[in-house]
Amino acid sequence: MSTDLIAGIRRDHLAAFAAREADIYVKTRPKAATALAEGAGSFLGGVPMHWMADWPMPHLLLVAKAHGARIWDIDGQKLDDFCLGDTGSMFGHSPGPVAKAIRQQARRGLTYMLPTEAALTAGRLLADRFGPFRWQIATTATDANRFALRVARAITGRPKVLVFNGCYHGTVDDTFVSLENGKTVASPGLLGQVSDLTRTAVCCEFNDLASVEAALAKGDVAAILTEPVMTNSCMVLPEAGFHDGLRQLSLKYGALLIMDETHTISSGLGGYARVHSLRPDIFVVGKCVAGGMPTAVWGLSEDTAKRYHQADAMREPGRTGMGTTLSANPMQFACLVASLAEVMTPENYAHMEKLAERLSHGLARIIDEHRAPWHVVRVGARVEFICAPGPLKNGTEAGFAHHPEVEAAIHTGLINRGTLIAPFHNMMLISPATKKAQVDRLIASFDAILSDLFQAA
């Protein structure tokens, strides 16, 4: 067997470890295997959402229940949950105030197409938490980003959005572009794409202000759409001065600056922009903002709101192309109020960040002890180990830092030791319900796995 290295690990060691862990997983989850074989055939590809097939273990586990920062599956296995629905349950599964709000609102109706008093309270709380934006409610961050881009194009009269190579903004068509030899192209693998995305989008590398200015100078970019930290691939932090540069360039060339904080809400109270005093024209956040109830919000700065109203007043009668019937429903507002007022608190964030720091330091120590050519990145309550040297500068470097074979083996190994992490980018979240003992178990399991993978030849 080859002794070539992958992410610093001998391939024969990796293959042997992966085979052992896969065997353990299959033996400990027979009920899930049987249930999937008998009942998954009615779904396209055998899963209710296509990306569920991308989890790296031998077959899916089936969840029986989740509470706080733990999941129980139908085979009776209990997992410390650091995936937390890939941020959807960042504040824990069914936070008490949110669960109570759901029960109370369920007795009063689920959707009206009319607001409630709670909607007004939610608006005030959103402004308190994230800043004095003029808010709209959506169901997903994809919807919110799509609507925000429509507003930006209406205000500026320009067609293009500038995004960063390797970005994540849900399933907004315009964001599925990449860089190929310095040129914007449609991202590989797209299904059913018929329009030329390069007519409506331009792609630059994160942390490269010179390329951003070159793109903006052409005068056809309506908005820069960015995450404050790149999170969908291996996590990439902004370099010093990058966000100030984006703000200045957007003002210089008349493009709006949209910040999508759907993942970086982990950064601290109010998200990355509030913590770091950034000033976007449009602010977007989804996933966990209502405690796990499908909800997203997007807000316009005062000046941007005025420009929107001017554009709206000048349009022809007809549909704006923004909004969905079930968005801004009373259940969303009930959960928003509960989450913003009682869950998304300074005390909870302090707990999350303290344990995230413990996790980050623990993982980094283990990596150093095993002399692995890896590194750890933390943004508030979000921690990620990356199986490559760092820090990473942009999306291209983040793409090369992925080692799916290694990550899949580690993921299955952690599940077998009682811990679930995010499947696509080794991401771990700390919730208000996460305990110190859970963090220490994860660190110990990571140590045991690396001891096996980096054993002496």
Side-chain angles (χ1 to χ4, degrees), residues 383-402:
V383 179
E384 189 172 314
F385 65 86
I386 298 171
C387 304
L392 305 174
K393 183 177 181 178
N394 55 44
T396 295
E397 291 186 4
F400 285 128
H402 265 304

Side-chain angles (χ1 to χ4, degrees), residues 221-288:
V221 173
I224 302 167
L225 174 58
T226 186
E227 303 172 89
V229 174
M230 292 194 71
T231 62
N232 193 48
S233 188
C234 298
M235 194 152 57
V236 179
L237 301 177
E239 294 180 344
F242 177 65
H243 282 304
D244 286 341
L246 283 185
R247 178 70 281 184
Q248 294 305 314
L249 289 174
S250 68
L251 293 171
K252 178 179 178 180
Y253 292 102
L256 297 182
L257 180 59
I258 306 172
M259 287 200 168
D260 180 356
E261 293 246 30
T262 297
H263 283 164
T264 55
I265 192 174
S266 67
S267 302
L269 193 66
Y272 193 99
R274 199 78 187 263
V275 169
H276 294 274
S277 301
L278 306 183
R279 298 176 292 108
D281 298 301
I282 304 179
F283 179 93
V284 173
V285 65
K287 289 197 176 182
C288 64

Side-chain angles (χ1 to χ4, degrees), residues 238-394:
E239 294 180 344
F242 177 65
H243 282 304
D244 286 341
L246 283 185
R247 178 70 281 184
Q248 294 305 314
L249 289 174
S250 68
L251 293 171
K252 178 179 178 180
Y253 292 102
L256 297 182
L257 180 59
I258 306 172
M259 287 200 168
D260 180 356
E261 293 246 30
T262 297
H263 283 164
T264 55
I265 192 174
S266 67
S267 302
L269 193 66
Y272 193 99
R274 199 78 187 263
V275 169
H276 294 274
S277 301
L278 306 183
R279 298 176 292 108
D281 298 301
I282 304 179
F283 179 93
V284 173
V285 65
K287 289 197 176 182
C288 64
V289 70
M293 175 61 62
T295 305
V297 299
W298 55 288
L300 309 182
S301 69
E302 187 70 36
D303 178 67
T304 307
K306 289 178 181 177
R307 295 176 67 187
Y308 163 74
H309 287 305
Q310 292 170 355
D312 188 47
M314 296 174 62
R315 69 181 177 88
E316 295 180 4
R319 297 168 62 187
T320 63
M322 297 187 294
T324 56
T325 303
L326 294 181
S327 293
N329 68 64
M331 186 64 78
Q332 289 176 312
F333 287 122
C335 292
L336 270 171
V337 170
S339 180
L340 292 167
E342 301 181 67
V343 178
M344 205 180 296
T345 63
E347 295 78 14
N348 278 344
Y349 266 107
H351 170 86
M352 294 156 67
E353 292 186 39
K354 181 179 179 180
L355 286 187
E357 184 176 28
R358 182 181 185 88
L359 176 59
S360 176
H361 287 168
L363 297 178
R365 173 178 55 80
I366 299 303
I367 287 170
D368 288 343
E369 288 177 358
H370 291 282
R371 299 181 181 179
W374 302 1
H375 71 290
V376 176
V377 182
R378 179 171 81 89
V379 176
R382 183 185 183 100
V383 179
E384 189 172 314
F385 65 86
I386 298 171
C387 304
L392 305 174
K393 183 177 181 178
N394 55 44

Side-chain angles (χ1 to χ4, degrees), residues 22-260:
D23 185 58
I24 293 169
Y25 181 94
V26 169
K27 287 179 178 178
T28 54
R29 287 178 169 81
K31 290 183 179 179
T34 299
L36 288 164
E38 293 176 350
S42 58
F43 290 108
L44 180 65
V47 286
M49 178 63 77
H50 70 93
W51 48 251
M52 289 181 178
D54 294 335
W55 282 78
M57 54 275 207
H59 61 74
L60 286 171
L61 60 83
L62 295 178
V63 177
K65 65 176 181 177
H67 181 73
R70 287 192 171 91
I71 282 178
W72 289 259
D73 68 23
I74 67 169
D75 283 282
Q77 304 292 333
K78 180 174 72 174
L79 295 169
D80 295 327
D81 188 8
F82 289 86
C83 175
L84 294 170
D86 196 16
T87 309
S89 294
M90 190 181 79
F91 296 106
H93 295 288
S94 298
V98 176
K100 179 181 178 182
I102 291 172
R103 290 193 299 270
Q104 291 177 341
Q105 183 59 48
R107 293 193 290 266
R108 298 192 289 263
L110 301 181
T111 188
Y112 314 141
M113 282 190 75
L114 288 166
T116 60
E117 281 190 300
L120 307 181
T121 302
R124 291 192 292 270
L125 288 169
L126 285 168
D128 288 343
R129 279 286 173 264
F130 301 115
F133 296 98
R134 296 293 180 262
W135 298 99
Q136 288 282 276
I137 312 300
T139 301
T140 68
T142 292
D143 290 337
N145 282 319
R146 187 180 293 118
F147 303 154
L149 289 179
R150 189 173 288 273
V151 167
R153 286 165 169 148
I155 287 175
T156 63
R158 298 174 179 179
K160 287 190 175 182
V161 54
L162 188 154
V163 296
F164 292 103
N165 191 31
C167 67
Y168 177 74
H169 302 291
T171 55
V172 178
D173 284 358
D174 307 83
T175 66
F176 284 98
V177 290
S178 306
L179 280 178
E180 187 175 292
N181 298 320
K183 183 179 179 181
T184 301
V185 297
S187 296
L190 290 177
L191 279 171
Q193 184 63 44
V194 295
S195 60
D196 180 1
L197 296 179
T198 64
R199 297 180 62 186
T200 57
V202 59
C203 191
C204 296
E205 289 285 15
F206 199 71
N207 285 319
D208 186 351
L209 289 174
S211 69
V212 171
E213 180 160 24
L216 294 179
K218 296 179 181 179
D220 58 356
V221 173
I224 302 167
L225 174 58
T226 186
E227 303 172 89
V229 174
M230 292 194 71
T231 62
N232 193 48
S233 188
C234 298
M235 194 152 57
V236 179
L237 301 177
E239 294 180 344
F242 177 65
H243 282 304
D244 286 341
L246 283 185
R247 178 70 281 184
Q248 294 305 314
L249 289 174
S250 68
L251 293 171
K252 178 179 178 180
Y253 292 102
L256 297 182
L257 180 59
I258 306 172
M259 287 200 168
D260 180 356

